[in-house]
Amino acid sequence: MKEKIKNEFLRRKILSCLNKNDSDDFSEEELATIENISLSPKFINGRETGLTVRDIFFFDNLKSLTLRDFQLSMEDMQIISERVNIENLSFISCGFEAIDFDKLSRLPENLRFVFCDKLPKKFPRVKSINVELSSIDFESIDLSRAINIFIINSKVNNACDIDGYDNIRAVDFYGSILYGKDGQELKNIKVSKNTRYSHEEKKLYEMGSKDRDENDLER
């Protein structure tokens, strides 16, 4: 497969996934066994890896995808949405260039946003909201579709009571700071009696900090 995979960094990442040495090769059958991959256009030191979103086409049976440090375009998101096997999709320190998630053919129900300072103005219409170490406009969430809302160590703007939404089963604002529509900080919000609610106050992580454990972020 050396002739097919031109990018040396991607080749070594694949070998690592297959528990092989850098000097080894791999077959198409082995490549097809990879279900979880993390891609980034940059090394930790900022040097370019040469990877793009299109590299996911090498993985026919991908179920879990983590994208880190990408500036994503609508074309990139269309490529991802066409990979019907992907069940879990995580964005770490990614930017979104006027992404309209409503125009995508499909999205995995399990989306996770970490260290994304500028989330889409209109949040994807998914059942599970997973946001960490980011800033989110609560009004951007489709509350009529949401079942679980987990916003961890983040800044939540335009937070409001959601006691009229019986469809929401769980809300967790662990370590997050809530601001109402008037910009004032809120202690809590009201939820339905059917909703499990938690807002444990912990120190908010510094927004945009790069000093975090990479393995934890890509769990």
Side-chain angles (χ1 to χ4, degrees):
M1 291 291 293
K2 288 183 179 179
E3 295 77 13
K4 184 176 181 180
I5 308 293
K6 301 295 186 181
N7 186 290
E8 181 63 17
F9 177 69
L10 180 59
R11 189 186 72 83
R12 292 187 179 187
K13 180 174 278 288
I14 291 169
L15 288 170
S16 176
C17 291
L18 297 173
N19 295 315
K20 290 191 168 190
N21 298 319
D22 287 349
S23 58
D24 293 337
D25 197 1
F26 52 88
S27 65
E28 289 194 23
E29 289 75 17
E30 288 176 310
L31 185 60
T33 65
I34 296 177
E35 298 182 347
N36 181 7
I37 196 75
S38 172
L39 301 178
S40 174
K42 299 178 182 179
F43 291 103
I44 294 177
N45 62 10
R47 192 162 53 90
E48 300 292 325
T49 64
L51 298 184
T52 70
V53 171
R54 288 186 174 275
D55 288 315
I56 66 174
F57 285 128
F58 289 117
F59 307 95
D60 292 333
N61 298 309
L62 203 59
K63 292 184 178 180
S64 182
L65 172 64
T66 297
L67 297 177
R68 185 186 188 115
D69 294 319
F70 277 97
Q71 293 298 316
L72 296 161
S73 65
M74 196 65 191
E75 181 183 359
D76 292 329
M77 293 305 303
Q78 289 284 7
I79 291 171
I80 295 168
S81 70
E82 292 170 2
R83 308 303 286 178
V84 295
N85 292 331
I86 297 178
E87 300 171 355
N88 301 289
L89 178 59
S90 295
F91 302 100
I92 300 176
S93 297
C94 287
F96 304 86
E97 299 177 3
I99 302 298
D100 186 347
F101 284 92
D102 287 342
K103 291 184 178 180
L104 298 176
S105 57
R106 66 171 296 277
L107 273 175
E109 283 294 344
N110 296 312
L111 291 182
R112 181 169 170 249
F113 296 82
V114 184
F115 270 106
C116 296
D117 292 337
K118 294 183 179 180
L119 289 173
K121 292 182 179 179
K122 190 174 182 181
F123 203 81
R125 298 181 68 251
V126 292
K127 295 179 180 179
S128 185
I129 312 297
N130 292 278
V131 174
E132 302 173 44
L133 300 161
S134 302
S135 178
I136 183 172
D137 185 345
F138 201 64
E139 289 187 330
S140 70
I141 299 173
D142 185 350
L143 297 171
S144 65
R145 181 174 174 79
I147 293 178
N148 299 306
I149 300 176
F150 303 117
I151 304 178
I152 310 302
N153 289 326
S154 296
K155 179 181 178 182
V156 184
N157 295 313
N158 293 315
C160 60
D161 295 334
I162 54 173
D163 47 334
Y165 293 92
D166 293 334
N167 52 291
I168 300 177
R169 299 174 186 169
V171 174
D172 191 345
F173 289 130
Y174 180 91
S176 293
I177 299 177
L178 311 181
Y179 294 96
K181 295 183 179 181
D182 59 359
Q184 297 297 310
E185 186 174 343
L186 302 177
K187 188 75 172 178
N188 285 298
I189 63 171
K190 295 179 181 179
V191 299
S192 167
K193 62 181 181 180
N194 300 320
T195 303
R196 188 179 75 253
Y197 180 82
S198 176
H199 183 197
E200 186 173 349
E201 295 183 6
K202 295 290 183 182
K203 183 178 180 181
L204 180 72
Y205 283 71
E206 183 181 352
M207 294 298 297
S209 170
K210 298 296 181 180
D211 185 18
R212 72 275 199 191
D213 184 272
E214 185 169 328
N215 293 325
D216 180 62
L217 289 175
E218 297 183 4
R219 67 183 184 274

